[in-house]
């Protein structure tokens, strides 16, 4: 890989704008592919629950992964690794983000349903351990890492570079909005109130992780916060 200069200039860049378009197209493709997979699944075209989960995940991972590869093709591996670094302050900030976002999520859930929502899922008979493991790996590992790389690591960084110093904060808000909108369009929530809860919680998560990235110029804390945020839900709802 060739090294991409770490420029802080606010001058418009055709390459940065092209990268932003690539990412936006990838998000749109992810939504379309997810809808197609959902229709095929409902029609009985994918009978295996494990394959259903994998197909739904790949429908999102594939376009985002391709977009990340295209955008990062000129970036050195050393630069990528350096932006993933953590220190104690970032870890503490990340844990604080998780606490705040989970608290908001619980408050909304209690207000809408009377329950925290963080309870073990009911099962008829022994749970499908294979299905649970596949889902958990996707939710806790792959999705948070890929989403943070694409949203905070690439989209927010390039959008901020296109803005002036006074308007650069908009990059955090716009990226968080797209992040929340993607989850909504992918069907998270299920109901109108559930969708609203997902949107608010993921938008808040995006704003806080985006702020952390803007402050540190690293995405390691955002990845950690996203991983922990999802892990709390997986652990709390794991069948017992």
């Amino acid at each position: 890989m060739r090294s991409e200069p770490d420029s802080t200039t606010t001058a418009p860049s055709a390459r940065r704008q092209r990268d932003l378009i690539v990412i936006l197209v990838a998000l749109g493709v992810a939504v379309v592919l997810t809808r197609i997979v959902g229709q095929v699944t409902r029609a009985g075209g994918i009978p295996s629950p494990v394959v259903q989960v994998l197909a739904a995940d790949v429908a999102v991972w594939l376009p985002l992964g391709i977009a990340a590869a295209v955008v990062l093709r000129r970036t050195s591996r050393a630069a990528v690794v350096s932006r993933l670094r953590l220190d104690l302050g970032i870890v503490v900030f990340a844990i604080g983000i998780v606490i705040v976002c989970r608290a908001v999520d619980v408050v909304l859930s209690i207000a809408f349903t009377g329950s925290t929502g963080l309870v073990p899922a009911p099962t008829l008979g022994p749970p499908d351990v294979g299905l649970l493991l596949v889902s958990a790996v996707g939710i806790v590992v792959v999705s948070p890492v890929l989403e943070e790389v694409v949203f905070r690591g690439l989209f927010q960084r390039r959008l901020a570079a296109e803005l002036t110093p006074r308007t650069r904060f908009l990059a955090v808000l716009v990226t968080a909005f797209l992040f929340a909108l993607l989850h909504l369009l992918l069907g998270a929530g299920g109901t109108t109130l559930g969708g609203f809860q997902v949107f608010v919680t993921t938008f808040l998560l995006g704003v806080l992780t985006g702020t952390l990235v803007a402050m540190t110029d690293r995405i390691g804390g955002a990845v950690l916060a996203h991983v922990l945020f999802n892990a709390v839900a997986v652990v709390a709802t794991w069948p017992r």
Side-chain angles (χ1 to χ4, degrees), residues 68-224:
V70 170
V71 174
L72 287 170
R73 68 190 183 279
R74 292 186 179 89
T75 305
S76 68
R77 290 184 177 86
V80 173
V81 171
S82 69
R83 291 171 191 159
L84 289 169
R85 287 187 298 113
L86 293 169
D87 57 35
L88 181 59
I90 291 177
V91 170
V92 171
F93 202 115
I95 293 173
I97 288 173
V98 176
I99 293 172
V100 170
C101 291
R102 272 296 160 204
V104 170
D105 185 60
V106 166
V107 169
L108 290 175
S109 185
I110 292 175
F112 294 154
T113 68
S115 167
T116 64
L118 298 177
V119 294
T123 59
L124 296 174
D128 187 335
V129 177
L131 176 61
L132 291 173
L133 289 176
V134 169
S135 300
V137 170
I139 293 171
V140 177
V141 180
V142 182
S143 290
V145 173
L146 185 55
E147 289 175 8
E148 291 306 320
V149 168
V150 171
F151 280 100
R152 254 64 67 178
L154 300 179
F155 189 86
Q156 177 178 305
R157 182 181 179 84
R158 279 154 178 75
L159 182 58
E162 289 294 299
L163 300 173
T164 66
R166 289 186 177 181
T167 61
R168 198 163 290 163
F169 72 94
L170 291 174
V172 173
L173 298 179
V174 171
T175 303
F177 176 81
L178 289 175
F179 175 66
L181 182 62
L182 177 68
H183 285 77
L184 195 62
L185 293 176
L186 293 179
T191 64
T192 301
L193 287 178
F196 176 76
Q197 178 182 341
V198 167
F199 184 87
V200 171
T201 305
T202 51
F203 179 75
L204 178 61
L205 178 65
V207 168
L208 295 178
T209 54
T211 300
L212 178 59
V213 170
M215 290 169 56
T216 62
D217 197 29
R218 301 184 203 167
I219 65 168
V223 172
L224 177 61

Side-chain angles (χ1 to χ4, degrees), residues 9-26:
T9 179
T10 60
S13 162
R15 192 171 71 192
R16 281 197 300 262
Q17 293 167 4
R18 190 163 54 246
D19 289 344
L20 291 171
I21 292 173
V22 167
I23 294 171
L24 290 174
V25 169

